[in-house]
Amino acid sequence: WHTMVAREALMRALNAAERRDAEIVAAIDAIEATQTIKGFASPEFIEFAVAGSWHLDYATRRDRTLLSRSYVHVKDISQSVVSSVGDQGTVSTTVAWTLPSTGDAGLLEIHSRLQPFAEPRPHHLLRLEAHKLKPAAPLSADAADVVSHVAASLPYELFHPHLTVLELVYVDPELKILRCTRPPDDDSPAVLTCQVWTRSLRPDPS
């Protein structure tokens, strides 16, 4: 497939009334197979292209538990990227959540440093700096329970980004595809995932 044909197939799969993982993954693989960022994109272009505000549209692994789905509702996952050629940048991931049983709502922020390196294809290394829970009002639920259930509702490497390597597979003004690799630790085996980020926030289906 030509890259743009594969991109169109990916957007159709993402916009489908019933998403099918196999179609999304096939389109991502086709995009990766039909183009390469290295060789035509300068470091300045890469850092400019990945910067700004994004919304997570799809992840190949979400690690959602039945308990977390019933306890907490994740409405949106957004990310602000500040990058600089040859220097460290920042990544701030913001999770908007609600607790249907109590009416609690708020944000969970995950702040990391972003270290670029270019071989063999544009990569960035994340180093976790802080988690910040920001309820919209005083919580009636236990804060630790909120954080643990939100964490269980996210792709593992989003809540635990430390030492995650982000490989830039594709980027254009409205779409970014990342391959994410996180080494094993005491709490988790190695994590290999793919994330699709878009500039536009899609309506919350619930």
Side-chain angles (χ1 to χ4, degrees), residues 73-147:
H73 175 211
V74 172
K75 299 177 65 178
D76 177 51
I77 303 171
S78 62
Q79 198 171 78
S80 176
V81 181
V82 177
S83 58
S84 177
V85 176
D87 197 4
Q88 292 193 14
T90 60
V91 174
S92 298
T93 303
T94 301
V95 183
W97 55 268
T98 61
L99 270 62
S101 61
T102 65
D104 289 318
L107 304 174
L108 176 67
E109 296 180 352
I110 306 152
H111 299 278
S112 303
R113 301 294 298 177
L114 186 70
Q115 178 182 337
F117 59 101
E119 298 296 337
R121 192 158 58 176
H123 288 64
H124 291 85
L125 176 69
L126 293 176
R127 296 186 182 276
L128 177 65
E129 289 197 322
H131 293 92
K132 296 181 180 180
L133 182 65
K134 295 185 174 181
L139 286 173
S140 57
D142 181 76
D145 283 346
V146 172
V147 172

